[in-house]
Amino acid sequence: MNLLGKSLLAGQPGRSGGPTFRAINPATGETLEPDFHEALASEVDAALWAAAAASETYRAQPGHARALLLEAIVSEIEGLGDPLLQRAHAETGLPLPRLQGERARTCGQLRLFAQVVREGSWVDARIDPALPARQPLPRPDLRRMLVPLGPVLVFGSSNFPLAFSVAGGDSASALAAGCPLIVKAHRAHPGTSEMVAGAVARAVSACGLPPGVFSLVHGGGATVGIAMVKHPAITAVGFTGSHAAGRALCDAAAARPHPIPVFAEMSSLNPVFLLPGALQERGVGIAQGLLASVTLGVGQFCTKPGLAFALRGPATDAFLAALAGAAVNAPPATMLTPGIQAAFLENQAKVAGLGGVDLLARTESPASPRPTEGRLSVSRTTAANFLRQPALATEVFGPFTLLVVADSDAELAACARALDGQLTATVHGNAADLAGAPALLTLLEQKAGRLVINGFPTGVEVSPAMNHGGPAPATSDARFTSVGTAAILRFARPVCYQGFPDALLPPALQRANPLGLLRLVNGESTRLGQPADA
């Protein structure tokens, strides 16, 4: 495919003239053609106002029309074929089988949101019919539902060039909610972003929607990205990335004359608690599973377990020996970007260099290491030391984990209590372990958005029940998820209609229930319409 190296702004390619950059193949260090032009401030401004203008038309589209758009995007992405995967492979170093799976996930979640909006009950319609005879005061007719926020700005993620980028979960949920979409392309995979952006724009056009429904913007996060967060046309932001960048976006959004929500996924260590009975019965298997989870995607998943806790004892000693033996043979692999590798090495050295930390095992370096290679390392410390030094809870984004050995259940609980907010928390235990674990699980419920028993947290299922969020600093708003169908709720707000004639109500709230939604009427869930005199 012939890449233009330009933004795609309300259906039109951006102009040349701004600063340029190139993608880098992390496996070879080579730069990739073409030059990509950062969008000019004037054309970004025009694209954002085009999104605001398109919002009136797009928000009025019924659910089945939004579903058709999402399904059209799937068709266009699938139509890109292998060239999309090949470009993504060149820009990220991710293996082709991984990218095939990620494309399937991207298309699958678009189809899932199409099902959600076609059925329509996600708007959470609530109806309290008028009670004119109620004493001492009558009740007016009250009807409530969710409506779109408006234009949403999504920042593409480095570690998922498809599933968390231009047409990823944030984008799918924003479009499903009825919000025009502006994507700030990630500089690590601009060609992949341009290809997917073309697919989205073609789908928008084929569905007869205003071109302002979608734009892709190239530029720096600290410059173009922050400027878009501050722009009055933007009503919400979706972000996955570092804690520093996420906080910068939150601060910029909060400082606006009219602040807007930022739904940022930023940092998580995903602690794993290994209880004695489980280690006694299957310590070798747990060691293998933990290493597989830590090294999946070269440790560049937001759900990678960066901390593991265990009680001192023979079963833990055997587990640590099995872990060390397996870690030495874990193959190194290419990380996503030179910047990510540099941050990995810096934070790994920071944690390993703190007092009381021992190196348990490290993958041997090959004779000819690749430019952005990541090698697994596992360190060990005591719970007392972990509690003394908060810096030991630094996130190391890459193939690294820290094992913390406690002397007592009370020390283990203290470690859990000291944790910041997390995306996930995991407990491995046999029946006896788990029977004694309610207090630990209660602690972890306060710390994480997803609790896992006898499994590993890496990876998420895109489904209605999934929650991918958690207390700060894992995310900026623990009430929401960025994965699963509930992600749509981030980009909608409730409106109550009081005393409206039926003809002026949105279809979702009309008495006859023409859409057949599941609604809460007088406190009871029903798909039935109301009697004419209700």
Side-chain angles (χ1 to χ4, degrees), residues 149-174:
L149 282 178
V152 170
L153 171 62
V154 167
F155 285 76
S157 171
S158 63
N159 57 341
F160 284 89
L162 300 175
F164 264 94
S165 290
V166 176
D170 288 345
S171 299
S173 52

PDB file of all heavy atoms in Angstrom, residues 149-174:
ATOM      1  N   LEU A 149     -21.698  11.883  24.676  1.00  0.00           N
ATOM      2  CA  LEU A 149     -21.025  13.072  25.185  1.00  0.00           C
ATOM      3  C   LEU A 149     -20.717  14.073  24.085  1.00  0.00           C
ATOM      4  O   LEU A 149     -20.851  15.275  24.275  1.00  0.00           O
ATOM      5  CB  LEU A 149     -19.708  12.676  25.871  1.00  0.00           C
ATOM      6  CG  LEU A 149     -19.777  12.091  27.283  1.00  0.00           C
ATOM      7  CD1 LEU A 149     -18.379  11.724  27.757  1.00  0.00           C
ATOM      8  CD2 LEU A 149     -20.421  13.076  28.244  1.00  0.00           C
ATOM      9  N   GLY A 150     -20.225  13.595  22.943  1.00  0.00           N
ATOM     10  CA  GLY A 150     -19.742  14.465  21.875  1.00  0.00           C
ATOM     11  C   GLY A 150     -18.401  13.965  21.373  1.00  0.00           C
ATOM     12  O   GLY A 150     -18.001  12.839  21.670  1.00  0.00           O
ATOM     13  N   PRO A 151     -17.661  14.780  20.622  1.00  0.00           N
ATOM     14  CA  PRO A 151     -16.386  14.320  20.050  1.00  0.00           C
ATOM     15  C   PRO A 151     -15.416  13.795  21.104  1.00  0.00           C
ATOM     16  O   PRO A 151     -15.179  14.444  22.132  1.00  0.00           O
ATOM     17  CB  PRO A 151     -15.841  15.578  19.366  1.00  0.00           C
ATOM     18  CG  PRO A 151     -17.060  16.370  19.021  1.00  0.00           C
ATOM     19  CD  PRO A 151     -18.006  16.139  20.157  1.00  0.00           C
ATOM     20  N   VAL A 152     -14.865  12.612  20.836  1.00  0.00           N
ATOM     21  CA  VAL A 152     -13.950  11.937  21.762  1.00  0.00           C
ATOM     22  C   VAL A 152     -12.561  11.857  21.124  1.00  0.00           C
ATOM     23  O   VAL A 152     -12.421  11.465  19.959  1.00  0.00           O
ATOM     24  CB  VAL A 152     -14.463  10.524  22.106  1.00  0.00           C
ATOM     25  CG1 VAL A 152     -13.403   9.732  22.876  1.00  0.00           C
ATOM     26  CG2 VAL A 152     -15.754  10.604  22.916  1.00  0.00           C
ATOM     27  N   LEU A 153     -11.557  12.191  21.902  1.00  0.00           N
ATOM     28  CA  LEU A 153     -10.156  12.085  21.476  1.00  0.00           C
ATOM     29  C   LEU A 153      -9.565  10.821  22.064  1.00  0.00           C
ATOM     30  O   LEU A 153      -9.588  10.629  23.283  1.00  0.00           O
ATOM     31  CB  LEU A 153      -9.369  13.313  21.948  1.00  0.00           C
ATOM     32  CG  LEU A 153      -7.849  13.282  21.776  1.00  0.00           C
ATOM     33  CD1 LEU A 153      -7.464  13.188  20.311  1.00  0.00           C
ATOM     34  CD2 LEU A 153      -7.220  14.513  22.437  1.00  0.00           C
ATOM     35  N   VAL A 154      -9.032   9.947  21.211  1.00  0.00           N
ATOM     36  CA  VAL A 154      -8.416   8.694  21.643  1.00  0.00           C
ATOM     37  C   VAL A 154      -6.938   8.717  21.274  1.00  0.00           C
ATOM     38  O   VAL A 154      -6.578   9.065  20.141  1.00  0.00           O
ATOM     39  CB  VAL A 154      -9.114   7.480  20.998  1.00  0.00           C
ATOM     40  CG1 VAL A 154      -8.290   6.205  21.195  1.00  0.00           C
ATOM     41  CG2 VAL A 154     -10.507   7.305  21.576  1.00  0.00           C
ATOM     42  N   PHE A 155      -6.097   8.347  22.210  1.00  0.00           N
ATOM     43  CA  PHE A 155      -4.658   8.239  21.977  1.00  0.00           C
ATOM     44  C   PHE A 155      -4.309   6.787  21.684  1.00  0.00           C
ATOM     45  O   PHE A 155      -4.595   5.898  22.494  1.00  0.00           O
ATOM     46  CB  PHE A 155      -3.878   8.725  23.198  1.00  0.00           C
ATOM     47  CG  PHE A 155      -3.862  10.217  23.365  1.00  0.00           C
ATOM     48  CD1 PHE A 155      -4.973  10.886  23.852  1.00  0.00           C
ATOM     49  CD2 PHE A 155      -2.741  10.956  23.020  1.00  0.00           C
ATOM     50  CE1 PHE A 155      -4.979  12.257  24.002  1.00  0.00           C
ATOM     51  CE2 PHE A 155      -2.731  12.336  23.154  1.00  0.00           C
ATOM     52  CZ  PHE A 155      -3.855  12.994  23.651  1.00  0.00           C
ATOM     53  N   GLY A 156      -3.688   6.534  20.538  1.00  0.00           N
ATOM     54  CA  GLY A 156      -3.264   5.194  20.197  1.00  0.00           C
ATOM     55  C   GLY A 156      -2.205   4.689  21.161  1.00  0.00           C
ATOM     56  O   GLY A 156      -1.396   5.455  21.682  1.00  0.00           O
ATOM     57  N   SER A 157      -2.207   3.370  21.397  1.00  0.00           N
ATOM     58  CA  SER A 157      -1.297   2.752  22.354  1.00  0.00           C
ATOM     59  C   SER A 157      -0.115   2.115  21.635  1.00  0.00           C
ATOM     60  O   SER A 157      -0.253   1.596  20.530  1.00  0.00           O
ATOM     61  CB  SER A 157      -2.062   1.689  23.152  1.00  0.00           C
ATOM     62  OG  SER A 157      -1.194   0.932  23.949  1.00  0.00           O
ATOM     63  N   SER A 158       1.053   2.115  22.293  1.00  0.00           N
ATOM     64  CA  SER A 158       2.251   1.562  21.667  1.00  0.00           C
ATOM     65  C   SER A 158       2.199   0.051  21.576  1.00  0.00           C
ATOM     66  O   SER A 158       2.666  -0.538  20.597  1.00  0.00           O
ATOM     67  CB  SER A 158       3.499   1.979  22.459  1.00  0.00           C
ATOM     68  OG  SER A 158       3.460   1.436  23.771  1.00  0.00           O
ATOM     69  N   ASN A 159       1.640  -0.625  22.601  1.00  0.00           N
ATOM     70  CA  ASN A 159       1.800  -2.076  22.691  1.00  0.00           C
ATOM     71  C   ASN A 159       0.710  -2.860  21.981  1.00  0.00           C
ATOM     72  O   ASN A 159       0.801  -4.080  21.865  1.00  0.00           O
ATOM     73  CB  ASN A 159       1.901  -2.520  24.158  1.00  0.00           C
ATOM     74  CG  ASN A 159       0.713  -2.097  24.992  1.00  0.00           C
ATOM     75  OD1 ASN A 159      -0.035  -1.197  24.625  1.00  0.00           O
ATOM     76  ND2 ASN A 159       0.534  -2.734  26.139  1.00  0.00           N
ATOM     77  N   PHE A 160      -0.332  -2.195  21.508  1.00  0.00           N
ATOM     78  CA  PHE A 160      -1.380  -2.856  20.731  1.00  0.00           C
ATOM     79  C   PHE A 160      -1.675  -2.002  19.507  1.00  0.00           C
ATOM     80  O   PHE A 160      -2.583  -1.163  19.530  1.00  0.00           O
ATOM     81  CB  PHE A 160      -2.650  -3.065  21.571  1.00  0.00           C
ATOM     82  CG  PHE A 160      -2.545  -4.179  22.560  1.00  0.00           C
ATOM     83  CD1 PHE A 160      -2.063  -3.958  23.835  1.00  0.00           C
ATOM     84  CD2 PHE A 160      -2.927  -5.468  22.205  1.00  0.00           C
ATOM     85  CE1 PHE A 160      -1.958  -4.990  24.754  1.00  0.00           C
ATOM     86  CE2 PHE A 160      -2.825  -6.515  23.116  1.00  0.00           C
ATOM     87  CZ  PHE A 160      -2.341  -6.274  24.389  1.00  0.00           C
ATOM     88  N   PRO A 161      -0.919  -2.177  18.422  1.00  0.00           N
ATOM     89  CA  PRO A 161      -1.068  -1.304  17.257  1.00  0.00           C
ATOM     90  C   PRO A 161      -2.419  -1.421  16.568  1.00  0.00           C
ATOM     91  O   PRO A 161      -2.766  -0.560  15.744  1.00  0.00           O
ATOM     92  CB  PRO A 161       0.061  -1.767  16.327  1.00  0.00           C
ATOM     93  CG  PRO A 161       0.343  -3.177  16.742  1.00  0.00           C
ATOM     94  CD  PRO A 161       0.125  -3.203  18.221  1.00  0.00           C
ATOM     95  N   LEU A 162      -3.182  -2.458  16.881  1.00  0.00           N
ATOM     96  CA  LEU A 162      -4.513  -2.623  16.300  1.00  0.00           C
ATOM     97  C   LEU A 162      -5.602  -2.555  17.368  1.00  0.00           C
ATOM     98  O   LEU A 162      -6.531  -1.760  17.277  1.00  0.00           O
ATOM     99  CB  LEU A 162      -4.599  -3.951  15.532  1.00  0.00           C
ATOM    100  CG  LEU A 162      -3.613  -4.113  14.372  1.00  0.00           C
ATOM    101  CD1 LEU A 162      -3.710  -5.507  13.785  1.00  0.00           C
ATOM    102  CD2 LEU A 162      -3.848  -3.058  13.298  1.00  0.00           C
ATOM    103  N   ALA A 163      -5.504  -3.375  18.408  1.00  0.00           N
ATOM    104  CA  ALA A 163      -6.606  -3.539  19.353  1.00  0.00           C
ATOM    105  C   ALA A 163      -6.774  -2.379  20.316  1.00  0.00           C
ATOM    106  O   ALA A 163      -7.834  -2.220  20.923  1.00  0.00           O
ATOM    107  CB  ALA A 163      -6.427  -4.835  20.138  1.00  0.00           C
ATOM    108  N   PHE A 164      -5.732  -1.539  20.495  1.00  0.00           N
ATOM    109  CA  PHE A 164      -5.851  -0.369  21.355  1.00  0.00           C
ATOM    110  C   PHE A 164      -5.376   0.881  20.623  1.00  0.00           C
ATOM    111  O   PHE A 164      -4.799   1.778  21.228  1.00  0.00           O
ATOM    112  CB  PHE A 164      -5.037  -0.550  22.640  1.00  0.00           C
ATOM    113  CG  PHE A 164      -5.840  -1.057  23.800  1.00  0.00           C
ATOM    114  CD1 PHE A 164      -5.886  -2.414  24.066  1.00  0.00           C
ATOM    115  CD2 PHE A 164      -6.557  -0.203  24.608  1.00  0.00           C
ATOM    116  CE1 PHE A 164      -6.626  -2.902  25.132  1.00  0.00           C
ATOM    117  CE2 PHE A 164      -7.302  -0.678  25.674  1.00  0.00           C
ATOM    118  CZ  PHE A 164      -7.336  -2.035  25.939  1.00  0.00           C
ATOM    119  N   SER A 165      -5.647   0.947  19.344  1.00  0.00           N
ATOM    120  CA  SER A 165      -5.195   2.096  18.570  1.00  0.00           C
ATOM    121  C   SER A 165      -6.347   2.655  17.737  1.00  0.00           C
ATOM    122  O   SER A 165      -7.431   2.856  18.268  1.00  0.00           O
ATOM    123  CB  SER A 165      -3.973   1.713  17.736  1.00  0.00           C
ATOM    124  OG  SER A 165      -2.844   1.511  18.593  1.00  0.00           O
ATOM    125  N   VAL A 166      -6.138   2.860  16.445  1.00  0.00           N
ATOM    126  CA  VAL A 166      -7.081   3.649  15.648  1.00  0.00           C
ATOM    127  C   VAL A 166      -8.501   3.092  15.698  1.00  0.00           C
ATOM    128  O   VAL A 166      -9.464   3.843  15.853  1.00  0.00           O
ATOM    129  CB  VAL A 166      -6.580   3.760  14.198  1.00  0.00           C
ATOM    130  CG1 VAL A 166      -7.593   4.506  13.324  1.00  0.00           C
ATOM    131  CG2 VAL A 166      -5.235   4.470  14.162  1.00  0.00           C
ATOM    132  N   ALA A 167      -8.652   1.794  15.538  1.00  0.00           N
ATOM    133  CA  ALA A 167      -9.986   1.181  15.578  1.00  0.00           C
ATOM    134  C   ALA A 167     -10.104   0.218  16.751  1.00  0.00           C
ATOM    135  O   ALA A 167     -10.847  -0.747  16.691  1.00  0.00           O
ATOM    136  CB  ALA A 167     -10.274   0.454  14.266  1.00  0.00           C
ATOM    137  N   GLY A 168      -9.373   0.498  17.826  1.00  0.00           N
ATOM    138  CA  GLY A 168      -9.367  -0.384  18.984  1.00  0.00           C
ATOM    139  C   GLY A 168     -10.563  -0.185  19.888  1.00  0.00           C
ATOM    140  O   GLY A 168     -11.575   0.427  19.512  1.00  0.00           O
ATOM    141  N   GLY A 169     -10.433  -0.677  21.108  1.00  0.00           N
ATOM    142  CA  GLY A 169     -11.570  -0.688  22.021  1.00  0.00           C
ATOM    143  C   GLY A 169     -12.083   0.683  22.394  1.00  0.00           C
ATOM    144  O   GLY A 169     -13.298   0.896  22.479  1.00  0.00           O
ATOM    145  N   ASP A 170     -11.183   1.650  22.649  1.00  0.00           N
ATOM    146  CA  ASP A 170     -11.631   3.007  22.961  1.00  0.00           C
ATOM    147  C   ASP A 170     -12.403   3.595  21.796  1.00  0.00           C
ATOM    148  O   ASP A 170     -13.462   4.215  21.963  1.00  0.00           O
ATOM    149  CB  ASP A 170     -10.437   3.897  23.293  1.00  0.00           C
ATOM    150  CG  ASP A 170      -9.819   3.580  24.649  1.00  0.00           C
ATOM    151  OD1 ASP A 170     -10.460   2.879  25.448  1.00  0.00           O
ATOM    152  OD2 ASP A 170      -8.693   4.041  24.894  1.00  0.00           O
ATOM    153  N   SER A 171     -11.869   3.413  20.593  1.00  0.00           N
ATOM    154  CA  SER A 171     -12.510   3.967  19.398  1.00  0.00           C
ATOM    155  C   SER A 171     -13.851   3.298  19.132  1.00  0.00           C
ATOM    156  O   SER A 171     -14.846   3.971  18.826  1.00  0.00           O
ATOM    157  CB  SER A 171     -11.592   3.786  18.183  1.00  0.00           C
ATOM    158  OG  SER A 171     -10.369   4.470  18.371  1.00  0.00           O
ATOM    159  N   ALA A 172     -13.890   1.972  19.255  1.00  0.00           N
ATOM    160  CA  ALA A 172     -15.137   1.252  19.006  1.00  0.00           C
ATOM    161  C   ALA A 172     -16.225   1.683  19.976  1.00  0.00           C
ATOM    162  O   ALA A 172     -17.384   1.887  19.588  1.00  0.00           O
ATOM    163  CB  ALA A 172     -14.897  -0.251  19.105  1.00  0.00           C
ATOM    164  N   SER A 173     -15.861   1.841  21.254  1.00  0.00           N
ATOM    165  CA  SER A 173     -16.873   2.215  22.237  1.00  0.00           C
ATOM    166  C   SER A 173     -17.328   3.655  22.062  1.00  0.00           C
ATOM    167  O   SER A 173     -18.499   3.976  22.285  1.00  0.00           O
ATOM    168  CB  SER A 173     -16.356   1.966  23.660  1.00  0.00           C
ATOM    169  OG  SER A 173     -15.107   2.565  23.878  1.00  0.00           O
ATOM    170  N   ALA A 174     -16.442   4.549  21.629  1.00  0.00           N
ATOM    171  CA  ALA A 174     -16.840   5.935  21.372  1.00  0.00           C
ATOM    172  C   ALA A 174     -17.801   6.021  20.186  1.00  0.00           C
ATOM    173  O   ALA A 174     -18.841   6.693  20.251  1.00  0.00           O
ATOM    174  CB  ALA A 174     -15.611   6.799  21.119  1.00  0.00           C
TER     175      ALA A 174
END
